[in-house]
Amino acid sequence: MKKWFSLGLVGLSSAYLAYGLRTLDILDFSGRPGAGYFPLIIGGLLLLATAVNAVLDFREARQGEMHPLQLDPATEGTAELMGVDAHGLDGGRRFPRDVLIILALLSGFIFLLPVLGALAAMIVLMLAYLFTFNQAELLTNVLYALALPAFLYWLFSIILNASLPVGPFGF
């Protein structure tokens, strides 16, 4: 199942890249990066990453498939020594809850985007995400929550002159 999912991701990545190349121009009329610039880069990197993952998954399947709940002996032994439930290492029971949390955070981000503006909504999203999944690192969370949105705002709004939603503070 895993190898077919990886192959499906390669197909979706290929379709994304092809769609971006067919419908968007890489450069605009003045020679600056146009609307197709990022789909080309992101799509190319996405295709490369999913293709490598698919090759590794097919190679793993060819070497001998294990039962989905069976762990390799090294992982199980290490987890047992550390007192960790090894069956929860790859997702486990919390996985559906985490997906729902991320969907709720992204829905909140989409709602807040026109209200607060791009920069403030990104900061709120990053803070909520990091404090949900990385509660122990207060300073690191705040630094990441400020640095990544600031970089993305600088890149898209200032360098690429892309229109981002403007909030009540003018950014």
Side-chain angles (χ1 to χ4, degrees), residues 48-146:
L48 177 67
T50 55
V52 167
N53 190 49
V55 167
L56 293 175
D57 286 344
F58 272 90
R59 185 178 296 159
E60 179 183 305
R62 196 173 355 131
Q63 289 177 356
E65 291 189 15
M66 295 179 7
H67 187 273
L69 296 178
Q70 178 185 358
L71 297 171
D72 62 297
T75 302
E76 194 155 3
T78 303
E80 188 175 315
L81 284 173
M82 295 175 64
V84 175
D85 178 17
H87 297 286
L89 291 177
D90 192 19
R93 290 169 286 199
R94 294 181 48 176
F95 183 69
R97 183 185 70 116
D98 292 348
V99 170
L100 291 174
I101 290 171
I102 291 171
L103 285 174
L105 290 173
L106 289 174
S107 298
F109 172 70
I110 292 169
F111 173 76
L112 290 175
L113 201 55
V115 175
L116 296 177
L119 182 60
M122 284 189 283
I123 291 172
V124 168
L125 171 71
M126 289 291 296
L127 283 171
Y129 179 83
L130 289 170
F131 281 113
T132 300
F133 293 105
N134 189 25
Q135 298 164 353
E137 299 292 330
L138 174 69
L139 183 61
T140 306
N141 289 348
V142 171
L143 287 175
Y144 282 139
L146 294 174

Side-chain angles (χ1 to χ4, degrees), residues 142-163:
V142 171
L143 287 175
Y144 282 139
L146 294 174
L148 181 64
F151 171 75
L152 292 174
Y153 182 81
W154 171 79
L155 177 66
F156 285 103
S157 184
I158 297 169
I159 298 298
L160 297 174
N161 201 22
S163 62

